[in-house]
Structures are given as C-alpha cells and as structure tokens.
Amino acid sequence: MATRKKKADETGTEAEETAAAKKKAKRPAAKKAAVKKKTASKKSKGAGSLATVEVSADEEEEATPRGKGPHYLVVVESPAKAKTIKKYLGTGYTVKASVGHVKDLPKSKIGVDVEHDFQPEYQVIKGKEKVLNELKKAAKSVDKVFLATDPDREGEAIAWHIFEELGHKDSYRVLFNEITKKAIQEAISQPRQLNQESYDSQQTRRILDRLVGYQISPLLWKKIRRGLSAGRVQSVAVRLICEREDEIKAFQPQEYWTLDALLEGASGPPPFKAKLSKIDGKKVELKDRQTTDGLVAELQGADFTVAKVDRRERRRNAPAPFITSKLQQEAANRLHFTAKKTMTLAQRLYEGIPMGEEGQTALITYMRTDSTRLSDDAVKQVREYIGGHYGGDYLPEEPVAYRSKKSAQDAHEAIRPVSLEYPPERVRPFFDQMGEEDMFRLYELIWNRFVACQMKPAVYDQTSADIAAGRATFRASGSTLKFPGYLKVYGAGLTPEEEAANEKAKAAGDEGAESAEATGELPPLNEGDALRLQKLLNEQHFTQPPPRFSEATLVKELEEQGIGRPSTYAAILSTIQDKKYVEKLEGRFRPTDLGVMTNEMLVKHFPKEMAVAFTADLEEKLDQISEGGASWKAVLHDFYGPFKETLEKAEAEMRDVKREEIKTDIPCEKCGNPLVIKFGKMGHFLACSNYPDCKNTKDFKRDAEGKIVIVEEETTDEKCENCGKPMVIKRGRFGRFLACSGYPDCKTSKPISIGVNCPDCKQGYLTERRSGRGKIFFGCNRYPDCKFAAWDRPLAESCPQCQSPYLLQKFSKRDGVYVACPNKECDYRREVQQPAEASAPSAA
C-alpha cells in the first residue's frame, strides 16, 4: 500500500506534563460539562464548531500555571517532535504525541460501504487506546487544543481523527514548516479551522487504495499465491520495471564505429584528440569495419588543418533547493541511500536531535514537499552567509528564484536547514556522539544544496575547433573551470536533471552536449593552423539497451509520469521488494518470476487500472479535491463503477496458476512419467506428474528459441554426514545451500561456506545468505548462537597493518571494487585490478 506510515519513537509516547499542570485547580461543574460534550461525528459539523481564536505569540513567556490562567494542549505526531516543541512553549502548554495515526480502516475487512456513498468505517488502531485515553484525559482540563500534526494531507487526516475522538469544542489546527521558536509561536498565534478539502483528498486516496488492494489482492491469493498484494500505485511501479526488462530482452544491439584522430599542434606536445563528426559536410555514421577501414586508409595522407575555432564562456547554473523526490534521487546517487533510509533520516532531522545545552533541536524544514519556494528570511540569511564565507564574488546581485512545476501543491517551502547558525562543522560532534554518520551526511547534503542554490553559476572557458582533413571534419573540444561559483560548495558531479538534459541533447544529435562534457585544455589553436597526425584510432562499439531502473531513476520516472506522490515513493519501493515482485541486484531493479507473472495477469485483466496515464489522472483528481474543485464522492463513483465490472470479469477469466500444470514431453528419470511445469515460492519449476507418489523436481530455463533446458544440480565433493551420498547445491528462499542428493529419503542440509572462519565465535564459518528483502549478506553458520553479519564479502586474509583476522571486499560507484580493513581505526585499503576490456581500440 502506497500510503506512508508514521513511525513511532520507542523511547516514549508523550512529552512530560509540567509540574504546574499537575496543580491545576478544579474547574466549575458547568465548565466540566461543556468540555465533556462530544462533537458530532460528521466532519462538516466538526468543522463548523471551530471558531477563530487570537493567541499572542508571546503568550509562552506569560503563561501561568493552571488555576491562575489559560492552559493549552498541543498534539503532534512524534514524541521526538513533541520534545523539541516543548522547549519553545511555556508552562501553560502541555505537548503530547499521537504517535502517528490513531484511527484507520479495519484490517479484517474492506471497511468501506460502497452502497452508501463510500462511507468509511474508521476504528481506533489496535494498541492506540492508551495514547488516545491519555490525550482525552489531558484535553478535559485545558482551555484550547492545538492540533499540530504534519502540514500535509495525511497530517490533516490525523488531526481530524484526533479532533473527533477528543471532542473538545475549542480545537484548532496549527501549521508550521519548520520547528523553530519563531515558526511555532507564529503558528500558535494564527490557528485556523481544520481543512475539509485536504481531509477529503486524503480520505479519497485511502479509500481508493483500500478498494483496489482489498479486492484485487484476494484474487491474487486465490489464483497465484497467498500473501501477494496489489496496489493502485505499487502495481504500476512493478509494471514499469517489467516493461523495462522486456525492452532489454527485445533489444537487438547494432554495430557502430568511432574514429578519432590523435593530433599535435604547432606548439608541439602534448597531443589531443579530435572526433570525426562529418563527411562531405554531413553527419557521419560508421556502421561496419569495412567502411571505417576505408576511411582510415583515405585519411592517412590527408592534411589536417584548423578550419574554425569557437571560444566562449559556458555557464552552469546552480540546481534548485531540494524537493522530496530530488532529495531521494541525490541521496541515492551521492550517498547510495535507499529512498526509505533517506526519508527516515530526514524525518529525524526535521523532528530534532539532542544538541547538548541547546536540547532537542530541529535542523531541517518539513521534508515532504514538491515546492522549490524559499522564505524571504531564509534567502536573506543564506545571502549573508555566502557573502561572509565566500565573498561578494560568489553572491548574485539579486536572490535566485526557482519556479515550481505546474503540478506542485506549493504548500510548503523547499527542504532546507532551519537556521544558518547550524553549519555542518558545528553540529558534527553531536552526530558523532549519536553514532549517526549517515544522518550527518544527509544533513550536509541538504545544507550544501541550499547554500549552493543562492550562489553564482560556475563559469567555464570552452573551446571547440573544427578540423578539416580531406572531405572529413573532426571536432576537438576542451573546457577549463574559470570560476567555480556554486561548485565551491556543491561539487562538480552532475545532478539527475543535468544528466537527463545531456542524454536528451545527445539523442537529438546536439554536438554541444558532447562539448559541454569535455574537460581539459586544448593547445593554442588558430584558424589555418596545420596539425600533425600522430595516429587514427578506430574503435568498434555496439548500441546498449536501456539501463534497468535504480532507486534514483525509478523515483525520477514515477515523478515524471505523475504516479503517486513523492511522500509515497519510499513506501512503494519497499513494498515491491518485500513482496518479492522485484529484486535489487548491483543497485538495479529486476523483476522476479513472480513479479513478471503477477504483472502480466494484472495488466491483462485490469488494463485501465494498471495504465500509467490512468494512475496519473487519479492523482490530478485528488489534487482537485484538495483545492475544492471536485467532489470526493463523485471521484469514487466514477472510479468504482467500471472497476467493479472489471473485477467480476477477472474473477471468472484469470488463470488459476496455483493449480495449473503445463505438460511437457520430458520424462521423469525416477519413474518415467512426464514432467509438468508448476509455479511455487521460487518461481516456475518442473515436477513429476505422478506427485505425490513421486516427488522429483527440477529447475529449468528456456533457451533463445524458448525450449526447456533442465538446470542440473551443482554437485560437490562433500559427502552427507548422515547417509554418505554426495551433497549438491540447491537454492532456496534465503539463497544457495548444500543438500543431500538422497532427498527426500535424507533431508540433511547446511549452509555453504565462503572459506572464512567466523571472526567472532572462532567456531563456525561464514556463509552467503539472503535477507528477507533479497539482499545478499554474510553471516555465521552458527546463527542464532553467533550473530556475526556483514554486508560486504569477507576475505580469508589478515590485515597487514592491524592484523584484523579478515578483510572486506567493497564496491563504490566512484572507485569500483576495492579491499579494506573492517577496523574503523585502521586505514588499510588497496585497489582491485579489473580485467581489461575485451575490445581495445586499434591504431592505424
């Protein structure tokens, strides 16, 4: 299900009440009766009961104990957030946490009455009774209740449900984008009514997800396998991954050649490269060796002369401040974080971390936003910071403004630090004390992006030269950084937007795209200069299929297609992996056998609901509801009528994979009966048709022509310790393992050793295992007695510097494969030589 879940802090469920609150005098009986009076359950009546209230922003300074003045209850979502806010409010305030949602649709049934205008049946979430009782108790003795849940649609829904349960007649909604003293005081001084449209939009999303998930999922359980799920958004995400895999499989590589000239200018070495760009004034495509070799022979005796030189400045503008999706993409590219990890860490930065004498302090603004807008105060602060730390040369004359995309709700600011008083170098010691290196790295990324977005562009001196040689034209490009601008803070790596723009320009045949990527200087070149040819380099290439999606590129695709909302992406990516529809190998998503089959059946029987455009259109309708431009009930009626008909048809026509047996002409080597193709937990497999009398099974694959090829079990020299038969390698839910070849008569099995003794217990050995999410890790075979585990592959060699009993083989995008010591205090590291490319350039 795509709707994100609010996380609870295990350290507690509420902020402590003040001592003064405990001394509250008894209220008059009439006042008590008024407080206890419940509001109507209808949301429209609830909204009508909210009145405008004026509360001074300075009231926290003047707040007096109960019995001597007003007292207020502030309800937030997380205990950490409650702790941070409490220090900004006086003794007249009690701050408590709901720990996320308090009510939801029931788990045991659909919980939506489709016959009566989709009336939802909300229930108090199991385990939340205690939290609600504490909130109700606190609300009885206060003058006003401020509902300060997150400033988005889901936060609005939580606020509504708390309002309905507390039944306090003086309840108000307060919103703040950052947890600072100023923001909180302003929010408390400007309360408003609950927003009916925002609540209706979120409720519609929840009902849509329930209608789809709770009606298609049981069908998948019945037809394919128990435990499967379908979702209005998650299933479309799986479809994108499956369709990309189909493109890769169907891709036919095309041969092409490139021709470069290694040239030397009049000033002598060093030589530089020029790329063939035109023949007879037209763009050239070299498709085979024969054509290329003929051109090489033709150009060997040609004179190479500089025909044209173009010198200009190229400006590279700073990227916009982070919105949710861009933060997830950059954290994946630069920090190698999953979307889920990024959002979890960002949530904690928003709620606040302990900072010594300053106490619990929030560091970033709200992290679920699609707006690049920045407050005037924030821009003023960062401009002062840039001028003071980098000088006036780096500061634009006017603040840089960024335009949000058309579909942006623009409800919040961009993601930024709450204050320029907390630069990374100042707060790092607090992260170190917490052991939160990754949280610090994310904060540093957000800080750098915010500062960079208000700095001047980077400026390059770029030179391009056209070089004539007979009827051929070569192009040489070079660029040098003249002024770093924002790169001084943010680094030279391309952002996802820049990479996409370059790829688009290349596909359109724009020579400027390649020139923009050129680095390094060219020698002094002038028109008419004669150049000396050192050699011609011709190289064979083959076109490559589209790449599989990484977390960053899948988030980018979902955003561009309008599928879901950025706040839901982390949950979507987690769910499709948890359900085993996709697996992540080498950082890229691949559909599993289960994912391919499920997608195929959903797309076939629910073509409209699983269409990308249909899902995006529903998101637009949800936006319209929140803006008051559409009725939530009308949207649900328009959706459910056709969906119900499609569901009934699918129930009757969908293949029953669980009971399906596809006959083959392959005989069982044990009993002679034909083998059949079945589908199980590990995907398709061959089984004897004489089951259960014969339990023989085989793995198989299909060759290029689609013919079944049996995958023989991998044998080993190891003997079974119980029956003496050879052990074979099999694959299971958690990866490969050793099993007796005498199965099912002998059921002996054990993990496969990677040849490294366990460094912790010194008794067991390390094995390759697979986590519940499908990620490979290495652990001791004596688990759970020994709980050693490592994500990187341990190597059976000691560290030459600190004598650690093992080393780790690691991988990074920047450095590739390398070996390092697991001891954090030891800096031993060595590179791993990669095998040379099979196709090396030839020289003529």
Side-chain angles (χ1 to χ4, degrees):
M1 200 166 293
T3 306
R4 64 178 168 85
K5 297 181 179 178
K6 302 289 179 182
K7 294 219 167 184
D9 187 332
E10 295 178 357
T11 60
T13 61
E14 61 179 348
E16 294 182 357
E17 294 186 354
T18 61
K22 295 179 181 178
K23 299 177 182 177
K24 175 69 179 174
K26 291 184 178 180
R27 305 168 72 85
K31 186 87 172 181
K32 280 188 175 182
V35 172
K36 288 183 178 179
K37 186 178 179 181
K38 300 289 182 181
T39 56
S41 59
K42 297 285 186 180
K43 292 177 295 301
S44 57
K45 293 181 180 179
S49 70
L50 299 177
T52 303
V53 63
E54 292 295 333
V55 181
S56 170
D58 296 322
E59 215 168 24
E60 66 103 5
E61 301 293 342
E62 304 168 1
T64 53
R66 298 188 197 183
K68 295 183 180 180
H71 194 81
Y72 311 114
L73 171 65
V74 180
V75 184
V76 297
E77 291 182 45
S78 91
K81 188 175 175 182
K83 190 175 181 181
T84 307
I85 290 174
K86 176 59 184 172
K87 75 174 188 177
Y88 298 131
L89 299 175
T91 54
Y93 292 85
T94 296
V95 185
K96 289 184 174 289
S98 70
V99 198
H101 285 275
V102 295
K103 292 167 70 174
D104 196 7
L105 300 175
K107 286 188 175 183
S108 58
K109 56 182 179 179
I110 195 167
V112 178
D113 189 349
V114 296
E115 302 298 329
H116 294 86
D117 273 346
F118 303 96
Q119 189 66 34
E121 180 187 327
Y122 290 112
Q123 296 180 353
V124 174
I125 297 170
K126 188 176 180 180
K128 286 299 183 71
E129 295 87 352
K130 182 180 178 182
V131 173
L132 261 179
N133 288 336
E134 290 171 350
L135 290 175
K136 289 177 181 178
K137 183 179 178 181
K140 287 179 180 179
S141 57
V142 299
D143 299 283
K144 299 180 181 69
V145 174
F146 295 108
L147 303 170
T149 49
D150 285 350
D152 56 15
R153 295 175 191 169
E154 190 164 4
E156 199 73 27
I158 295 172
W160 266 107
H161 291 157
I162 294 171
F163 166 69
E164 291 173 345
E165 288 297 311
L166 299 189
H168 197 292
K169 65 184 182 69
D170 288 323
S171 295
Y172 307 94
R173 183 79 164 104
V174 293
L175 299 171
F176 43 82
N177 187 53
E178 59 188 55
I179 306 177
T180 60
K181 186 173 183 178
K182 179 182 177 182
I184 291 166
Q185 288 179 345
E186 286 181 353
I188 293 291
S189 68
Q190 300 173 15
R192 65 167 179 78
Q193 294 184 346
L194 287 165
N195 188 296
Q196 181 76 54
E197 287 78 16
S198 290
Y199 175 76
D200 287 344
S201 177
Q202 179 62 27
Q203 178 171 252
T204 306
R205 177 187 292 279
R206 189 74 186 92
I207 292 174
L208 281 169
D209 289 341
R210 181 56 67 97
L211 291 175
V212 173
Y214 268 52
Q215 295 189 85
I216 296 182
S217 295
L219 186 59
L220 298 180
W221 285 36
K222 180 180 177 182
K223 301 289 187 177
I224 302 178
R225 192 175 84 195
R226 284 185 65 82
L228 299 184
S229 71
R232 183 180 59 85
V233 178
Q234 75 170 53
S235 296
V236 177
V238 174
R239 178 177 185 172
L240 292 175
I241 295 170
C242 289
E243 289 180 345
R244 177 60 57 88
E245 196 69 19
D246 290 340
E247 289 179 50
I248 293 170
K249 289 179 179 177
F251 183 80
Q252 296 293 325
Q254 301 293 320
E255 179 184 9
Y256 73 97
W257 288 72
T258 56
L259 180 58
D260 295 339
L262 193 61
L263 302 166
E264 194 174 288
S267 59
F272 64 94
K273 271 187 182 181
K275 183 184 290 292
L276 178 69
S277 63
K278 295 178 181 178
I279 294 289
D280 296 326
K282 297 179 181 178
K283 188 176 177 181
V284 63
E285 291 185 7
L286 304 176
K287 295 185 176 181
D288 54 56
R289 179 184 289 275
Q290 184 178 358
T291 304
T292 306
D293 287 348
L295 189 57
V296 168
E298 178 184 336
L299 295 174
Q300 285 288 2
D303 294 327
F304 284 76
T305 307
V306 178
K308 178 183 176 185
V309 178
D310 181 21
R311 296 183 180 90
R312 61 188 179 90
E313 277 190 353
R314 177 171 65 87
R315 293 178 177 269
R316 184 177 169 189
N317 293 321
F322 279 132
I323 60 176
T324 304
S325 58
K326 293 297 185 290
L327 175 63
Q328 292 172 0
Q329 292 172 51
E330 279 288 76
N333 286 336
R334 296 192 177 215
L335 308 178
H336 311 304
F337 290 176
T338 63
K340 182 177 181 180
K341 180 175 182 176
T342 298
M343 296 308 291
T344 300
L345 295 178
Q347 179 86 34
R348 293 175 64 187
L349 290 170
Y350 167 67
E351 292 172 351
I353 67 166
M355 287 179 55
E357 295 180 357
E358 295 186 56
Q360 194 84 0
T361 304
L363 292 177
I364 66 169
T365 55
Y366 193 54
M367 65 289 159
R368 294 183 179 91
T369 176
D370 54 8
S371 172
T372 55
R373 179 171 54 81
L374 295 170
S375 70
D376 292 341
D377 284 346
V379 172
K380 181 181 178 182
Q381 284 183 33
V382 75
R383 284 177 60 83
E384 290 175 355
Y385 178 87
I386 294 167
H389 284 74
Y390 300 99
D393 290 343
Y394 288 84
L395 190 64
E397 292 183 8
E398 298 292 333
V400 184
Y402 295 92
R403 185 181 300 174
S404 296
K405 61 181 183 178
K406 185 178 178 182
S407 60
Q409 296 173 36
D410 212 40
H412 319 297
E413 285 188 63
I415 304 169
R416 60 167 175 83
V418 296
S419 171
L420 273 295
E421 295 178 7
Y422 301 119
E425 60 271 16
R426 179 185 171 189
V427 300
R428 175 147 206 167
F430 301 109
F431 287 101
D432 290 342
Q433 290 172 15
M434 299 163 60
E436 292 287 358
E437 172 67 19
D438 285 346
M439 197 189 302
F440 170 76
R441 293 170 67 202
L442 185 66
Y443 177 66
E444 186 177 44
L445 181 67
I446 293 169
W447 172 279
N448 290 343
R449 178 86 165 212
F450 172 58
V451 174
C453 82
Q454 290 299 316
M455 295 176 76
K456 282 186 177 180
V459 181
Y460 292 84
D461 275 336
Q462 185 168 302
T463 303
S464 298
D466 286 345
I467 299 163
R471 60 193 187 97
T473 302
F474 287 77
R475 173 170 280 257
S477 300
S479 65
T480 54
L481 185 62
K482 180 180 180 181
F483 174 67
Y486 80 93
L487 298 180
K488 186 88 172 176
V489 174
Y490 200 60
L494 293 179
T495 64
E497 304 96 301
E498 289 174 325
E499 288 180 347
N502 276 358
E503 289 300 319
K504 188 174 182 180
K506 283 183 184 178
D510 183 359
E511 291 182 350
E514 293 186 1
S515 298
E517 290 183 352
T519 58
E521 289 187 78
L522 291 177
L525 297 175
N526 297 291
E527 290 185 17
D529 283 356
L531 305 175
R532 187 170 69 84
L533 174 66
Q534 286 194 350
K535 64 175 69 172
L536 290 168
L537 303 171
N538 57 320
E539 189 173 359
Q540 182 186 40
H541 306 272
F542 291 92
T543 53
Q544 297 297 310
R548 293 182 175 89
F549 288 112
S550 63
E551 287 222 357
T553 55
L554 183 57
V555 165
K556 184 172 181 291
E557 185 74 11
L558 292 171
E559 181 187 28
E560 289 181 348
Q561 297 279 8
I563 301 168
R565 278 289 172 259
S567 59
T568 68
Y569 294 157
I572 292 169
L573 269 55
S574 294
T575 300
I576 62 179
Q577 292 177 80
D578 291 341
K579 294 298 180 181
K580 310 298 184 190
Y581 292 138
V582 303
E583 58 184 351
K584 199 193 296 183
L585 299 174
E586 299 176 349
R588 300 279 174 170
F589 287 118
R590 300 182 189 218
T592 61
D593 204 7
L594 175 64
V596 171
M597 171 177 287
T598 304
N599 176 69
E600 180 184 301
M601 295 176 72
L602 288 177
V603 170
K604 179 179 179 180
H605 294 284
F606 297 92
K608 180 181 178 182
E609 289 78 6
M610 296 299 134
V612 170
F614 179 78
T615 307
D617 183 58
L618 272 181
E619 291 295 340
E620 289 185 10
K621 289 181 178 178
L622 292 175
D623 290 344
Q624 291 172 11
I625 293 171
S626 70
E627 295 164 2
S631 162
W632 70 278
K633 291 181 180 180
V635 169
L636 288 171
H637 277 291
D638 290 344
F639 167 81
Y640 193 70
F643 173 71
K644 186 178 180 182
E645 294 179 8
T646 304
L647 187 69
E648 292 171 352
K649 188 176 180 182
E651 179 84 36
E653 297 179 359
M654 187 178 284
R655 287 166 52 198
D656 192 343
V657 177
K658 288 175 71 172
R659 296 172 178 78
E660 187 177 67
E661 294 183 355
I662 303 173
K663 290 184 178 181
T664 72
D665 56 3
I666 304 172
C668 173
E669 76 271 20
K670 292 187 176 180
C671 69
N673 286 291
L675 295 177
V676 295
I677 299 174
K678 288 188 172 185
F679 188 81
K681 288 185 178 180
M682 301 303 297
H684 286 99
F685 65 98
L686 290 171
C688 183
S689 57
N690 195 29
Y691 178 86
D693 295 332
C694 178
K695 297 180 180 178
N696 185 30
T697 61
K698 293 282 185 183
D699 286 335
F700 75 93
K701 62 182 180 180
R702 294 186 183 274
D703 60 18
E705 298 176 356
K707 186 178 179 181
I708 294 174
V709 178
I710 293 177
V711 177
E712 296 296 340
E713 290 177 338
E714 196 175 336
T715 59
T716 69
D717 296 332
E718 192 168 345
K719 301 294 182 183
C720 175
E721 57 193 34
N722 291 324
C723 70
K725 291 184 177 179
M727 299 289 281
V728 296
I729 296 176
K730 293 197 172 187
R731 64 186 181 96
R733 182 180 177 188
F734 298 109
R736 304 196 312 159
F737 65 96
L738 286 172
C740 181
S741 57
Y743 180 87
D745 298 326
C746 178
K747 298 181 180 178
T748 303
S749 66
K750 63 180 183 178
I752 299 174
S753 172
I754 64 169
V756 181
N757 294 326
C758 179
D760 278 8
C761 70
K762 308 290 193 288
Q763 299 176 43
Y765 56 85
L766 301 186
T767 68
E768 181 180 304
R769 304 181 66 188
R770 192 179 290 268
S771 70
R773 293 279 301 275
K775 187 175 180 180
I776 290 174
F777 71 98
F778 305 91
C780 182
N781 72 305
R782 295 183 62 247
Y783 178 86
D785 295 330
C786 177
K787 296 184 179 179
F788 174 86
W791 291 115
D792 301 303
R793 177 178 284 274
L795 302 177
E797 54 180 298
S798 60
C799 176
Q801 289 184 189
C802 72
Q803 309 309 311
S804 166
Y806 70 101
L807 295 173
L808 293 174
Q809 181 175 296
K810 293 174 168 280
F811 172 82
S812 73
K813 285 184 177 179
R814 185 185 66 183
D815 303 325
V817 181
Y818 63 96
V819 173
C821 181
N823 183 359
K824 291 184 178 179
E825 297 176 358
C826 178
D827 60 359
Y828 176 75
R829 170 175 170 150
R830 72 169 187 262
E831 304 303 318
V832 175
Q833 293 297 322
Q834 297 295 306
E837 293 292 331
S839 175
S842 60

